[in-house]
Amino acid sequence: MTKMTNAETKTCQSCKNSFVVEPEDFQFYAKINVPPPSWCPECRMIRRQIFRNERVLYRRNCALCGKGTITMYAPEKPFTVYCNECYQSDKWDALSYGKDYDFSKPFFEQFKELMLKTPRRSLYIDFATNSDYSNWAVYLNNSYLVFGGHHYENCSYCANDFYLNDCVDVDFSQRSESCFHSIHVRRCARVHFSLYSEDCMDSWFLFGCKNCVHCVGCTNLRNKSYCIYNEQYSKEEYEQKLKELRLTTYSGIQNVSAEFSKHSLDFPRKHAWVRNVVNSTGDNLDQTKNCTYLFHATEDEDCRYSFFVPTGAKDSYDIDHVGLGVEMAYELHSAFGNSRVVGGNRVYWSHDVYYSDDCYNSANLFGCIGVRKKEYCILNKKYPKEQYEVLVSKIIDHMNADPFVDKQERRYAFGEFFPPALSPFVYNETVAQEYFPLSEDDARRAGFGWRTPDAKAYVISRKAGDLPDAISDVPDNIIRETIGCAHEGKCNEQCTTAFKIIPDELRFYKKSGLPLPRLCSNCRHAERIKLANPTHLSHGKCRCAGAQSLNGAFKNTAQHFHGLDQCPNEFETPFNSKRPEIVYCESCYNAEVA
């Protein structure tokens, strides 16, 4: 029987805050032969996410065929970038860039040299038809600017979704159609401006609703129809009220949005958006077991400290945008179908891989880039099995004896993820800025880098404030206009400063009775992320005081297990004690909404 190691408190190399390595963590690290981490869970998550630029796109020429291509790599970056067609062809061989391992300098320095030589893929999209302007997504048809996730049909400006059809501005959602500007919705149709709702139709501004039809501005409703701000109306009354709300106009949307934001805070929210979980902490979890500090995860077991693990990972720590049967993985970003992978970025259908980037259908790799259908390779050079095993052991010893040290004096030995200095992207290009936003000064101090956006040469033909209020007044020739984003590039949200209304998008707005947006798609995405729960956990207590919430804003409608006393339950929650939400434990929440 394995002896349990006591919990240990450590100081994070990056943020300098303390964090705890639990006994179960030590067991996992021993099982995969890595030391415990020197960065805290949140900083480790950020470190992985700065290797993921989803939506900041550029133009540059393919280094092989010379054709212009859309890419995630800024033109001044010193990488060899191939268009997707050339990258996936047989016109080049990753092993031709192989190099001998040099024990006179740190491993990560040598890996960076290999990064600068080996071709990189312009965009990460596969199985895509008429969907060229997308990234980090697969199975796309007639979709535009969708990022992350899979199976999009006729969608625009969506991110990290599965099985969406005819949706615009929808994030972290599943199996929905004809929805707009929503986040965390499931199996919904014609639902707009909504969050955390399921099995709803023909509704606007919902939070935490299930199986609702023809509702506006409602929170925590179940199996309801014709409700506005949680008040029941007849069908005829509802239709009259709906006209009065003027939801086909921008001004009407702004008014209802402001009222809904205030109204929703008067109702309790579950401590975390979790369902069917066993012994798990995190947020937006579904059917997870024995998981800790997970965000956006489904059908995972024995996983910890991870973000967006949507399908069936097991026994893995510190993984990000990973799923489809990953097991025994550690410090891994963007992967499917792997086992025993440590320190990887885009590793697919492979096993026994260490510190490799964009490798597929391979085994026994160490420090490889762009390798496909190969085994026993180090720095893109192939070795006999026995020589490979001996050399890998020596490299691990060398990584520990001579670690890479960055400008912030942070040390990277074996077991740490790639140093931020190796990321092809700067902080404000990546998803880290979306979920853990920083100012330019803070990002630079942390060694993450920053890029001042290029000056745009757009000739703005229509200001956002000059757009028609009602969709019925929008002419078809609006698709020829260049509209200035209302933020004018003055925000910190990857603003494109201007945008176009594409034909499919205009068709969607007119069919749905939706007014034109005033912000570019990146700023609209940032708005939705701000509405969702934070990517952080704090220890909290149920704010149910017995007959009402602690702040008195909500009067309980049912008797709870604790009677008139304050609920004793405590939990891990994305809502810290300074936030205004009324946070209930699952028992008290269910008593009020079931």
Side-chain angles (χ1 to χ4, degrees), residues 109-306:
E109 284 187 17
Q110 300 176 64
F111 189 83
K112 185 174 183 178
E113 293 170 359
L114 186 63
M115 288 179 69
L116 294 174
K117 293 196 311 179
T118 309
R120 304 190 70 80
R121 185 175 173 175
S122 60
L123 294 172
Y124 294 132
I125 51 174
D126 290 296
F127 311 110
T129 303
N130 191 30
S131 305
D132 295 341
Y133 292 85
S134 298
N135 200 14
W136 297 91
V138 295
Y139 298 109
L140 316 175
N141 183 40
N142 194 38
S143 292
Y144 179 68
L145 292 181
V146 298
F147 305 104
H150 57 74
H151 290 91
Y152 292 93
E153 182 91 16
N154 302 320
C155 292
S156 302
Y157 318 121
C158 298
N160 299 307
D161 305 292
F162 309 116
Y163 299 101
L164 291 194
N165 182 25
D166 201 28
C167 290
V168 176
D169 284 349
V170 174
D171 299 333
F172 289 103
S173 298
Q174 300 178 19
R175 301 185 185 278
S176 296
E177 61 177 292
S178 301
C179 295
F180 176 69
H181 202 60
S182 296
I183 185 167
H184 296 297
V185 298
R186 294 184 174 204
R187 301 175 300 278
C188 289
R190 300 175 299 281
V191 168
H192 314 311
F193 302 99
S194 297
L195 305 90
Y196 299 103
S197 295
E198 302 177 359
D199 302 297
C200 296
M201 295 174 59
D202 300 301
S203 297
W204 309 64
F205 295 100
L206 302 181
F207 185 97
C209 293
K210 292 185 179 181
N211 198 30
C212 292
V213 183
H214 299 298
C215 292
V216 178
C218 294
T219 301
N220 292 345
L221 289 189
R222 300 291 185 270
N223 309 311
K224 296 292 185 179
S225 298
Y226 304 116
C227 293
I228 299 177
Y229 297 126
N230 286 54
E231 290 190 24
Q232 183 69 61
Y233 292 89
S234 68
K235 180 176 183 294
E236 294 74 17
E237 291 171 328
Y238 174 86
E239 290 174 348
Q240 179 58 39
K241 290 282 187 181
L242 199 61
K243 291 179 182 178
E244 295 171 6
L245 292 174
R246 301 170 50 248
L247 293 175
T248 59
T249 68
Y250 183 74
S251 57
I253 290 291
Q254 294 300 101
N255 290 336
V256 175
S257 178
E259 181 63 25
F260 171 66
S261 296
K262 293 186 294 182
H263 178 264
S264 185
L265 287 175
D266 290 336
F267 294 84
R269 303 191 179 189
K270 187 158 64 170
H271 73 282
W273 205 253
V274 296
R275 57 185 78 77
N276 303 317
V277 302
V278 177
N279 190 33
S280 296
T281 63
D283 193 43
N284 198 36
L285 306 183
D286 190 2
Q287 301 181 67
T288 62
K289 182 179 180 181
N290 300 331
C291 292
T292 300
Y293 208 90
L294 252 63
F295 298 88
H296 317 296
T298 303
E299 298 177 357
D300 303 310
E301 186 172 348
D302 298 312
C303 295
R304 292 190 175 205
Y305 316 123
S306 300

Side-chain angles (χ1 to χ4, degrees), residues 383-414:
Y383 292 87
K385 177 179 182 295
E386 295 76 12
Q387 187 177 356
Y388 169 88
E389 292 173 348
V390 171
L391 187 53
V392 164
S393 180
K394 291 181 178 179
I395 291 172
I396 291 173
D397 289 342
H398 177 245
M399 290 178 71
N400 291 327
D402 185 19
F404 178 85
V405 181
D406 67 15
K407 293 180 180 179
Q408 286 69 36
E409 299 298 320
R410 298 174 298 209
R411 300 166 64 85
Y412 301 86
F414 178 74

Side-chain angles (χ1 to χ4, degrees), residues 418-483:
F418 299 107
L422 268 65
S423 173
F425 315 112
V426 295
Y427 199 86
N428 61 321
E429 290 176 317
T430 69
V431 298
Q433 179 65 3
E434 299 176 27
Y435 308 118
F436 303 96
L438 294 177
S439 67
E440 178 179 353
D441 289 343
D442 288 342
R444 290 190 183 279
R445 275 194 293 270
F448 297 147
W450 194 270
R451 188 180 192 273
T452 302
D454 297 330
K456 303 296 192 299
Y458 302 133
V459 178
I460 294 173
S461 60
R462 184 75 71 96
K463 292 183 178 180
D466 295 336
L467 291 172
D469 192 40
I471 187 62
S472 58
D473 295 330
V474 175
D476 289 344
N477 65 6
I478 193 71
I479 62 175
R480 293 196 288 272
E481 303 271 16
T482 299
I483 303 168

Side-chain angles (χ1 to χ4, degrees), residues 101 103 340 342 351-356 362-368 374-396 414:
Y101 192 83
F103 286 93
R340 298 182 300 282
V342 174
H351 64 86
D352 297 287
V353 173
Y354 296 83
Y355 293 108
S356 293
S362 297
N364 298 290
L365 305 179
F366 199 109
C368 290
K374 297 293 190 294
E375 60 181 353
Y376 301 115
C377 298
I378 300 172
L379 295 178
N380 284 33
K381 181 177 179 180
K382 187 169 175 56
Y383 292 87
K385 177 179 182 295
E386 295 76 12
Q387 187 177 356
Y388 169 88
E389 292 173 348
V390 171
L391 187 53
V392 164
S393 180
K394 291 181 178 179
I395 291 172
I396 291 173
F414 178 74

